DNA sequence: TTGTATGCGTTATCAT
DNA sequence: ATGATAACGCATACAA
């Protein structure tokens, strides 16, 4: 235990250091018997890098985000980065959450948040902290984004509906602040227009990305006296709510009376009671792109990185659009 | 900017420090214009406390864990603690994950993992790091647990089945390594026995806590020629799979032909297609108990804390056991 | 290869 | 109320 310098200990735990095998053995043995574990905190001060990444997320009750977080956390760990998690539901806590992250000197931020006050974005930019956004339209010198091809998926959904001769299409949209949802809606309208469907035929229902809001939206539609025959929902949770409401409130069944598409391809979309056609966002690819962006941003620490990746969403056809199971 | 000492800056950002309002203003103004943010990293070295808590979790695709994580993360943040997230699926990565956490000098670990190699637990104990487990039977000097009343819920489930005159009960169990699942099964058997049901009448199906495993288990049951009339599933995901398989494979409907109970009360249990009676674990209470344990463990840093809280699970009756919606 | 010395950005102690 | 100084545990530049 005695007889080794402090630097010898440091070197023993550094794979690249020049140290004799004998000394390393001695140190490692002593460490094991004393229960000594190297402390990474001082290295943060010396190097200016913490190898911690702030992950700012909300809406974990949506299985899509839960799955995405799972994959992101795994990828970050495999790249030697720690996850400092911030669950945030409103702009106020977002502000303080980012304060926390900054004070811990995180190397970067990854977020899937639709919200994000501009002051916050500006603050991060000023500090030169790289930010990677999922499905956000935010732009700025230190901000990169990884988006799924929302607009293209909207086009595809419209084409599928047109191909099935839909006359009373419905767009079940998410919150207006959700840029991804807006893009899906724009693609959908565009696609309907391209297919010659009159804009007046489209019913637009406002939801908030929850099951209940999908259910309620269809209930409202019934009161309006509209009998839909094709629905595109901005996410799967709302689509599941819509399917249940169609059956319970209107006596309509999928795909016999109405076909329906969702987005995200959450596990529940494959559950037999829903059998929901959906767009898979390929979170593995999106996470891989995120890691690329992080690697690059952290390698070139001083130069702001601002790149956008668009990952194609893949249509997963199931029974809700008439596909055999 | 100039004209203030290092300590003045420190005091300006410390609410309890004795400093004149004038000096504080000056420092804060300079900090704002220079973009200076206090760094919490050195304080970790000085105080020996990082205010970071390792959260080790797996199976995030189960909405129960996603919701629990959401609530835990919120509670920790409100108590001034940071979440260092570790997503872990197997014992190997668990080992290295804990190494990481220890090297960052986390103050404590919270985990909902069923796995947990004993070497790991021993390592944490040796280091004197408090651990709080969710629904785990692990014990040790630094380990506390917050459990839902799994055994009691099993009893309740059996009583409900007996009350409905069930003759062919089924226990759809989770993985054997899952202590919570085992306790639920033991309570269930006990309850059936108390109600005078012959043990031979009970069919036991092995699942792995996923929807598919619940579905497949019922499909196997059909091959065995068993026609169940009452099912208790160790979690809601398996229960949902079972409901779908009962209908698709056996033509049985809930609650007309068979009644079914799950566990966790995930959001999907309330979805109209399942309308599943379930046990709510009251994660808010469990999280609150967890925070109490953490507060106490962190206050008395040197004395090992080892306490167990049991939080009653609440039966949420829905249509799958014949309750009107 | 090994040991010594310096510094990272704070907080706490002490003196003023 | 304020400033100077030591200390936290490590990595690195330098000397040996």
């Amino acid at each position: 235990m005695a007889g080794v310098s402090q630097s010898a200990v440091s070197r023993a735990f550094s794979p690249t250091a020049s140290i004799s095998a004998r000394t390393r053995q001695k140190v490692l043995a002593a460490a094991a018997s004393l229960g000594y574990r190297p402390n990474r905190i001082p290295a943060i001060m010396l190097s200016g890098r913490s190898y911690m990444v702030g992950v700012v997320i909300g809406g974990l009750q949506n299985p899509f985000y839960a799955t995405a977080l799972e994959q992101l956390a795994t990828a970050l760990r495999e790249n030697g980065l720690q996850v400092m998690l911030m669950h945030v539901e409103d702009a106020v806590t977002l502000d303080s959450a980012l304060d926390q992250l900054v004070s811990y000197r995180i190397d970067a931020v990854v977020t899937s948040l639709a919200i994000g006050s501009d002051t916050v974005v500006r603050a991060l930019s000023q500090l030169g902290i790289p930010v990677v956004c999922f499905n956000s339209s935010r732009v700025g010198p230190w901000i990169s984004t990884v988006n799924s091809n929302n607009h293209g998926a909207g086009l595809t959904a419209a084409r599928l509906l047109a191909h099935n001769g839909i006359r009373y299409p419905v767009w079940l949209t998410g919150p207006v602040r959700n840029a991804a949802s807006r893009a899906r809606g724009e693609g959908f309208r565009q696609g309907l227009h391209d297919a010659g469907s009159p804009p007046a035929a489209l019913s637009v229902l406002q939801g908030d990305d929850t099951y209940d809001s999908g259910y309620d939206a269809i209930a409202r539609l019934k009161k309006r006296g509209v009998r839909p025959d094709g629905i595109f929902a901005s996410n799967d949770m709302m689509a599941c709510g819509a399917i249940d409401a169609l059956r319970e409130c209107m006596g309509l069944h999928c795909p016999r009376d109405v076909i329906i598409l969702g987005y995200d391809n959450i596990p529940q979309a494959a559950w037999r009671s829903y059998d929901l056609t959906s767009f898979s966002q390929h979170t593995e690819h999106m996470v891989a792109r995120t890691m690329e962006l992080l690697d690059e941003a952290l390698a070139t620490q001083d130069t702001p990185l601002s790149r956008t990746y668009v990952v194609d969403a893949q249509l997963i056809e199931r029974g809700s659009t008439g596909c055999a199971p």
Side-chain angles (χ1 to χ4, degrees), chain A:
Chain A
M1 8 212 103
V4 290
S5 75
Q6 190 268 316
S7 16
V9 179
S10 174
R11 284 190 268 256
F13 284 96
S14 162
T16 62
S18 82
I19 183 177
S20 74
R22 220 174 69 75
T23 311
R24 172 170 276 144
Q25 285 306 323
K26 189 161 67 171
V27 172
L28 262 40
S33 85
L34 294 172
Y36 166 86
R37 317 288 296 258
N39 184 344
R40 292 197 64 177
I41 298 298
I44 299 176
M45 294 174 55
L46 296 184
S47 68
R49 288 203 47 186
S50 65
Y51 293 91
M52 299 191 290
V53 171
V55 174
V56 184
I57 200 169
L60 267 186
Q61 67 283 355
N62 182 344
F64 170 73
Y65 288 115
T67 306
L69 174 60
E70 183 175 308
Q71 295 181 15
L72 179 63
T74 301
L76 287 168
R77 183 170 45 67
E78 286 171 351
N79 284 47
L81 296 170
Q82 312 303 319
V83 176
M84 187 161 275
L85 182 71
M86 285 289 176
H87 176 82
V88 159
E89 289 294 6
D90 56 84
V92 180
T93 58
L94 175 60
D95 265 48
S96 80
L98 287 175
D99 262 14
Q100 302 280 319
L101 292 177
V102 169
S103 72
Y104 274 87
R105 292 299 187 259
I106 45 132
D107 288 342
V109 169
V110 177
T111 180
S112 65
L113 241 45
I115 58 176
S117 60
D118 286 320
T119 62
V120 165
V121 173
R122 221 177 300 135
L124 289 175
S125 279
Q126 276 193 343
L127 293 163
I129 296 180
V131 179
V132 180
C133 293
F134 261 52
N135 273 336
S136 153
S137 63
R138 241 148 243 306
V139 291
W142 289 90
I143 306 182
S144 291
T145 53
V146 179
N147 289 344
S148 114
N149 188 354
N150 298 299
H151 192 273
L155 283 174
T156 302
R159 260 185 235 120
L160 186 67
L161 260 55
H163 182 260
N164 277 268
I166 296 310
R167 298 178 55 197
Y168 306 105
V170 171
W171 163 233
L172 180 44
T173 181
V176 281
R177 68 183 185 189
N178 185 332
S181 177
R182 287 201 309 274
R184 289 163 204 172
E186 283 157 20
F188 188 55
R189 286 172 206 271
Q190 173 82 53
L192 290 176
H193 175 264
D194 293 350
S197 167
L202 179 67
S203 300
V204 177
L205 299 173
Q206 176 74 53
D208 66 1
D209 284 345
T210 65
Y211 170 93
D212 284 342
S213 76
Y215 191 99
D216 296 343
I218 297 298
R220 286 200 306 275
L221 195 63
K222 176 191 164 71
K223 283 193 190 142
R224 274 203 246 157
V226 179
R227 189 186 184 284
D229 54 1
I231 302 178
F232 179 37
S234 180
N235 82 356
D236 285 349
M237 308 247 288
M238 292 196 296
C240 288
I243 289 175
D244 284 339
L246 286 166
R247 190 183 57 245
E248 291 201 339
C249 306
M250 306 184 74
L252 299 179
H253 290 261
C254 294
R256 195 189 61 194
D257 309 309
V258 49
I259 66 177
I260 182 164
L261 294 87
Y263 209 104
D264 291 345
N265 194 34
I266 63 176
Q268 286 73 23
W271 288 11
R272 302 301 306 150
S273 285
Y274 296 104
D275 200 20
L276 173 67
T277 291
S278 187
F279 288 94
S280 165
Q281 292 207 44
H282 283 304
T283 43
E284 326 83 61
H285 294 177
M286 294 177 72
V287 166
R289 293 295 152 279
T290 300
M291 296 310 305
E292 290 176 21
L293 287 169
L294 283 181
D295 283 348
E296 184 168 350
L298 297 183
T300 65
Q301 257 177 321
D302 310 313
T303 38
L305 179 70
S306 180
R307 200 196 309 292
T308 293
Y309 283 121
V310 176
V311 177
D312 268 337
Q314 183 188 352
L315 180 67
I316 310 288
E317 295 198 71
R318 296 202 182 88
S320 74
T321 50
C323 244

